[in-house]
């Protein structure tokens, strides 16, 4: 089912749930005006809808609803060990949005949330206060687009517009915005600032086709990377998740060579590199939902409650990949877990 | 299976006729009418009766989460902007006694208006309703929601209400009420088709394999853990384009007397599936 409405280029939500407390926020008012053909349902608390029993993640994904809510504390969280901190010990993440408009087969959100509807928090000033408070004590690295894709959501709620000036005034804060989106409007309408990194997740096109449903193609993503670079933004390339297997191993060498034939390696800040990995609990839940996924039938190795490929296999593949990548990028510019 | 719950026989009659349902003579507790695909139960008026009937029918017929439950019935409208006989699909049910809200996922009836429904435990008249909301009122929906959320996916419960009055539920003409249901039969057909299509993708593609694994595991005295492992390998094998059923068949006639022997056969099957 197409999520774009027929009469415009707008992403379409058939149902929009709005918390009573969220009704008077500017973001809510904008959404009500923009999506006036949707059904609006007033709710007491977003969890009354988001945490219901027996929701079907994949059916909801095809018919995503939007839930506008007011978030309570905490507004930022310590970064988890399964994520790269790029050398920053004060690593935090924040979630203005829960869930994503893309439908990647490997995505951990399927195991993390009971619903695939999108929750958008409207009380952005509260997020700003807590971020400001945290940064006042220490320099920090903040992943702002975890559990979602802010750039992909930009045409629905432009969080990046709302936070741009705020981030600009906090030099103690380094913000990473991770995306698979081809939407380049943010780069075209804003000047680059030193403490924002746009982190593009890129994969071989065979992997995109196989696992990353509804996401832009590799070439379109590369075009967005180029747009961000040409406007002077700091760009990080995330080669994450990397998959291992006889059926996929051969995709990576041509992909790396193609990538750096398109993008000047000197123009990128660094590279994040990571293998497919997932918490055991999330994996178990997804296994039940994605019963037709080969990815979730495979046997993985368990270490500290995280499932991934066995260490020796990871080392072997990593060495092979690094040999290619270091032809283009200095080894100390490649970060892995 | 499609389950339909109506409060009144007069709501059920046009549906029984349209779907050519036959009374299930084995059931005495409730009036239940069936064909191969649809089972209808007449619950009686009120949310407790509707909850009881919904649980009864869903349990008796061993429903699966992919089955569909539609509550079809009349409601009152608080606003005159609607027409009598107009259908409404409910996206929020508010129980007027407990204040609890229920939210079915609504992915059907594109051309039908959607709205909030208040569920009252007694008939509601214009003078009783003091809020100024543009809404609808019935007496069964919260019971249906309370029951169905335990059994079915959230998108598989549909509360379809047809406006019978403007909070003056007295002396309503039975024939006119029946005609309201008849007028909406096409929409009901469409709702059923839409939900069936939506649920089609949820069908377990490994149903045959699951059955075969169960039979084999019982025959060979495999433990639950072995069964789980075996089914995972069977799934993987099918997803890789192999034919695990024929491999399982090869082991169907093997007899196992001791545990050690069972383990050996188990390893052989796993190896063959790879």
């Amino acid at each position: 089912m197409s999520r774009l409405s027929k009469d415009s280029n707008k992403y379409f939500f058939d149902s929009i749930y709005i918390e009573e407390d969220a009704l008077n926020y500017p973001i809510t008012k904008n959404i009500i005006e923009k999506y006036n053909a949707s059904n609006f349902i007033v709710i007491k608390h977003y969890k009354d809808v988001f945490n219901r029993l027996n929701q079907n993640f994949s059916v909801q994904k095809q018919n995503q609803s939007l839930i506008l809510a007011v978030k309570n504390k905490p507004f930022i969280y310590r970064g988890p060990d399964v994520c790269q901190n790029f050398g920053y010990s004060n690593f935090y993440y924040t979630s203005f949005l829960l869930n994503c408009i893309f439908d990647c087969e490997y995505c951990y959100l399927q195991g993390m949330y009971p619903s695939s509807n999108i929750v958008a928090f409207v009380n952005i000033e509260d997020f700003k206060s807590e971020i400001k408070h945290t940064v006042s004590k220490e320099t920090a690295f903040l992943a702002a687009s975890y559990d979602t894709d802010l750039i992909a959501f930009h045409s629905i709620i432009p969080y990046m517009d709302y936070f741009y000036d705020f981030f600009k005034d906090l030099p103690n804060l380094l913000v990473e915005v991770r995306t698979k989106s081809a939407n380049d409007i943010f780069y075209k309408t804003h000047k680059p600032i030193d403490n924002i990194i746009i982190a593009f997740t890129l994969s071989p096109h065979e992997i995109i086709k196989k696992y990353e449903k509804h996401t832009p193609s590799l070439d379109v993503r590369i075009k967005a990377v180029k747009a961000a670079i040409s406007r002077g933004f700091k760009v990080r390339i995330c080669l994450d998740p990397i998959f291992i297997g006889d059926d996929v191993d051969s995709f990576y060498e041509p992909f790396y060579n193609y990538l750096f034939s398109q993008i000047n390696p000197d123009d990128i800040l660094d590279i994040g590199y990571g293998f497919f990995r997932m918490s055991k609990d999330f994996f178990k839940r997804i296994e039940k939902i994605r019963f037709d996924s080969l990815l979730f039938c495979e046997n993985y190795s368990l270490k500290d409650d995280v499932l991934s490929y066995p260490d020796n296999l990871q080392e072997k593949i990593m060495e092979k990949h690094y040999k290619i990548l270091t032809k283009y990028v200095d080894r100390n510019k490649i970060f892995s877990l | 299976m499609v389950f339909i719950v109506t409060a009144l026989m007069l709501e059920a009659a046009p549906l029984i006729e349209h779907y050519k349902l036959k009374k299930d003579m084995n059931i005495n507790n409730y009036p239940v009418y069936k064909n191969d695909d649809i089972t209808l139960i007449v619950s009686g008026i009120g949310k407790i009766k509707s909850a009881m009937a919904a649980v009864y029918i869903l349990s008796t017929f061993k429903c699966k989460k992919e089955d569909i439950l539609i509550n079809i019935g009349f409601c009152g409208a608080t606003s005159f902007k609607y027409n009598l006989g107009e259908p409404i699909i409910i996206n929020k049910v508010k129980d007027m006694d407990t204040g609890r809200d229920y939210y079915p996922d609504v992915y059907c009836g594109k051309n039908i208006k959607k709205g909030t429904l208040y569920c009252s435990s007694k008939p509601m008249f214009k003078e009783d309703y003091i809020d100024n909301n543009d809404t609808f009122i019935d007496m069964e929906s919260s019971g249906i929601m309370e029951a169905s959320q335990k059994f079915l996916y959230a998108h598989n419960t549909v509360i379809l209400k047809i406006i019978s009055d403007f909070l003056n539920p007295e002396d309503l003409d039975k024939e006119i009420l029946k005609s309201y249901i008849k007028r909406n039969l096409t929409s009901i057909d469409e709702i059923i088709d839409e939900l069936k299509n939506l649920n089609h993708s949820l069908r377990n593609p490994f149903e045959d394999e699951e059955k075969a694994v169960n039979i084999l595991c019982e025959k060979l005295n495999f433990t639950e853990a072995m069964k789980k492992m075996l089914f995972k390998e069977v799934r993987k094998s099918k997803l890789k384009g192999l034919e695990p059923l024929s491999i399982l068949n090869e082991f169907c006639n093997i007899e196992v007397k001791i545990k050690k022997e069972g383990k050996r056969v188990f390893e052989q099957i796993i190896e063959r599936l790879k």
Side-chain angles (χ1 to χ4, degrees):
Chain A
M1 184 199 209
S2 170
R3 303 295 302 156
L4 292 174
S5 66
K6 282 180 187 159
D7 55 348
S8 74
N9 218 18
K10 281 193 304 199
Y11 194 84
F12 184 72
F13 296 103
D14 202 45
S15 299
I16 298 179
Y17 298 89
I18 307 174
E19 269 187 5
E20 284 166 356
D21 290 348
L23 279 166
N24 290 322
Y25 281 84
I27 290 180
T28 308
K29 287 178 180 168
N30 286 344
I31 288 286
I32 291 174
E33 202 184 314
K34 194 165 164 185
Y35 295 96
N36 51 14
S38 298
N39 293 295
F40 296 103
I41 304 154
V42 177
I43 59 176
K44 284 186 204 124
H45 195 279
Y46 81 89
K47 288 181 183 171
D48 296 344
V49 176
F50 196 67
N51 290 355
R52 281 170 300 158
L53 285 174
N54 282 328
Q55 299 177 79
N56 186 286
F57 203 92
S58 61
V59 170
Q60 285 185 337
K61 199 83 198 180
Q62 297 164 50
N63 304 274
Q64 268 179 320
S65 298
L66 178 63
I67 304 170
L68 301 176
V70 175
K71 179 146 176 40
N72 295 321
K73 273 189 163 200
F75 296 97
I76 63 172
Y77 305 87
R78 280 272 173 196
D81 292 340
V82 283
C83 299
Q84 287 138 357
N85 60 17
F86 295 90
Y88 286 82
S89 53
N90 295 319
F91 166 34
Y92 295 92
Y93 75 98
T94 187
S95 300
F96 311 135
L97 288 168
L98 309 182
N99 276 326
C100 172
I101 60 169
F102 299 139
D103 190 11
C104 300
E105 188 171 325
Y106 54 74
C107 182
Y108 65 93
L109 294 174
Q110 305 164 95
M112 190 160 145
Y113 298 134
S115 167
S116 56
N117 290 332
I118 297 178
V119 179
F121 294 113
V122 296
N123 50 329
I124 50 177
E125 296 307 320
D126 296 330
F127 280 87
K128 287 179 184 173
S129 302
E130 189 166 324
I131 294 169
K132 202 170 179 177
H133 177 71
T134 306
V135 178
S136 69
K137 293 179 285 183
E138 57 190 4
T139 308
F141 171 56
L142 179 72
S145 193
Y146 273 18
D147 305 345
T148 193
D149 190 322
L150 285 185
I151 301 277
F153 207 72
H154 195 73
S155 58
I156 301 165
I157 300 178
Y159 283 105
M160 288 305 294
D161 288 352
Y162 302 148
F163 279 87
Y164 178 80
D165 287 334
F166 172 75
F167 289 149
K168 198 166 79 177
D169 293 340
L170 290 177
N172 262 359
L173 182 71
L174 182 63
V175 182
E176 186 209 71
V177 182
R178 200 168 281 209
T179 187
K180 289 188 179 108
S181 175
N183 187 350
D184 57 4
I185 190 80
F186 175 72
Y187 325 122
K188 287 180 175 166
T189 52
H190 295 77
K191 284 183 181 160
I193 43 180
D194 256 5
N195 59 337
I196 290 188
I197 299 167
I198 310 295
F200 289 92
T201 301
L202 302 176
S203 301
H205 74 87
E206 296 89 345
I207 295 288
I208 293 175
K209 225 171 142 190
K210 193 171 178 180
Y211 294 128
E212 300 179 354
K213 209 167 143 189
H214 304 322
T215 64
S217 68
L218 175 61
D219 283 325
V220 180
R221 283 190 223 178
I222 288 176
K223 206 174 146 202
V225 174
K226 285 177 179 170
I229 289 172
S230 71
R231 296 274 163 175
F233 279 90
K234 283 185 178 170
V235 166
R236 168 172 291 152
I237 300 293
C238 293
L239 305 171
D240 188 359
I242 301 279
F243 294 96
I244 302 178
D246 293 342
D247 53 337
V248 294
D249 287 345
S250 63
F251 300 152
Y252 286 94
E253 182 167 1
F255 161 61
Y256 296 145
N257 290 329
Y258 178 67
L259 182 60
F260 291 112
S261 73
Q262 296 297 307
I263 298 166
N264 182 349
D266 297 337
D267 289 341
I268 61 166
L269 177 72
D270 54 28
I271 289 178
Y273 181 95
F275 289 96
F276 170 65
R277 61 204 176 276
M278 191 174 289
S279 103
K280 188 181 76 181
D281 293 340
F282 292 173
F283 190 96
K284 272 186 175 174
R285 275 177 227 151
I286 300 172
E287 219 180 351
K288 286 179 195 155
I289 307 170
R290 294 267 189 187
F291 49 76
D292 55 351
S293 163
L294 201 49
L295 193 62
F296 289 93
C297 280
E298 298 290 353
N299 297 317
Y300 297 93
S301 149
L302 181 68
K303 195 175 160 188
D304 301 328
D305 272 343
V306 175
L307 288 162
S308 189
Y309 300 107
D311 283 349
N312 57 345
L313 197 56
Q314 287 195 27
E315 277 160 27
K316 192 178 133 199
I317 296 292
M318 198 167 158
E319 197 188 319
K320 198 174 142 194
H321 286 191
Y322 269 44
K323 209 175 246 178
I324 308 159
L325 291 170
T326 49
K327 283 198 289 182
Y328 304 101
V329 181
D330 212 57
R331 202 180 177 97
N332 60 20
K333 276 174 79 175
I334 307 174
F335 291 86
S336 66
L337 280 172
Chain B
M1 177 63 82
V2 178
F3 298 102
I4 298 176
V5 182
T6 68
L8 306 168
M9 196 58 210
L10 102 85
E11 292 161 329
L15 298 163
I16 292 168
E17 195 187 326
H18 180 68
Y19 294 113
K20 298 183 175 52
L21 307 179
K22 298 272 176 265
K23 192 164 197 300
D24 187 333
M25 301 308 277
N26 297 320
I27 296 178
N28 301 317
N29 315 60
Y30 287 98
V32 171
Y33 298 82
K34 282 173 64 186
N35 66 18
D36 290 343
D37 191 34
I38 296 176
T39 302
L40 181 148
I41 188 165
V42 183
S43 66
I45 295 172
K47 60 184 177 183
I48 294 178
K49 286 184 180 171
S50 68
M52 285 168 60
V55 170
Y56 179 81
I57 202 172
L58 293 171
S59 309
T60 304
F61 292 95
K62 297 192 170 40
C63 73
K64 289 186 236 145
K65 281 185 181 182
E66 297 79 19
D67 289 332
I68 297 160
L69 176 72
I70 312 181
N71 170 222
I72 301 173
F74 296 117
C75 71
T78 61
S79 162
F80 286 101
K81 75 177 186 189
Y82 302 100
N83 298 313
L84 292 174
E86 190 175 346
I88 308 288
I89 292 184
I90 302 307
N91 51 25
K92 173 179 173 179
V93 171
K94 181 177 262 309
D95 187 300
M96 292 177 84
D97 298 322
T98 62
R100 191 166 168 202
D101 299 328
Y102 302 87
Y103 305 97
D105 277 339
V106 177
Y107 303 139
C108 59
K110 284 266 169 289
N111 300 318
I112 300 176
K113 283 185 190 147
K114 313 291 183 301
T116 296
L117 178 69
Y118 282 63
C119 186
S120 165
S121 48
K122 57 181 192 297
M124 186 66 81
F125 294 88
K126 192 94 191 157
E127 54 273 24
D128 301 329
Y129 188 72
I130 46 170
D131 290 350
N132 205 19
N133 294 336
D134 170 6
T135 190
F136 310 97
I137 301 178
D138 86 330
M139 292 177 65
E140 287 78 34
S141 52
S142 64
I144 297 285
M145 289 303 301
E146 187 66 44
S148 68
Q149 65 183 356
K150 303 273 185 206
F151 293 87
L152 307 175
Y153 282 127
H155 65 271
N156 278 337
T157 301
V158 179
I159 308 288
L160 177 69
K161 292 290 153 179
I162 294 165
I163 300 170
S164 60
D165 58 270
F166 297 103
L167 300 194
N168 51 346
E170 281 177 319
D171 304 327
L172 301 173
D173 184 303
K174 285 183 182 173
E175 286 312 309
I176 293 177
L177 289 177
K178 268 191 196 172
S179 76
Y180 292 161
I181 302 273
K182 281 183 190 163
R183 200 189 291 174
N184 286 294
L185 288 170
T186 312
S187 300
I188 296 168
D189 287 343
E190 283 167 9
I191 288 169
I192 291 173
D193 285 345
E194 279 176 86
L195 284 177
K196 276 186 181 171
N197 286 336
L198 197 63
N199 288 323
H200 187 75
S201 62
L202 302 177
R203 277 200 324 192
N204 179 3
F206 305 100
E207 216 166 299
D208 294 340
E209 286 76 10
E210 210 169 340
K211 273 184 203 158
V213 167
N214 282 335
I215 294 168
L216 195 66
C217 288
E218 198 165 319
K219 195 168 182 297
L220 299 174
N221 289 326
F222 289 169
T223 62
E224 274 304 307
M226 287 161 98
K227 187 156 100 179
K228 221 171 152 187
M229 270 172 73
L230 180 58
F231 184 55
K232 193 172 176 179
E233 288 303 326
V234 165
R235 245 171 63 203
K236 202 192 315 185
S237 163
K238 191 176 178 182
L239 288 168
K240 281 182 176 167
L242 303 172
E243 287 180 13
L245 272 179
S246 58
I247 297 169
L248 294 179
N249 277 337
E250 289 172 26
F251 292 86
C252 260
N253 297 322
I254 290 180
E255 296 271 330
V256 167
K257 288 188 181 119
I258 53 168
K259 212 174 169 183
K260 206 172 164 189
E261 223 176 309
K263 253 186 160 180
R264 192 178 47 81
V265 175
F266 177 76
E267 277 158 19
Q268 277 176 3
I269 303 173
I270 298 287
E271 203 47 48
R272 286 280 287 115
L273 286 167
K274 280 183 178 164

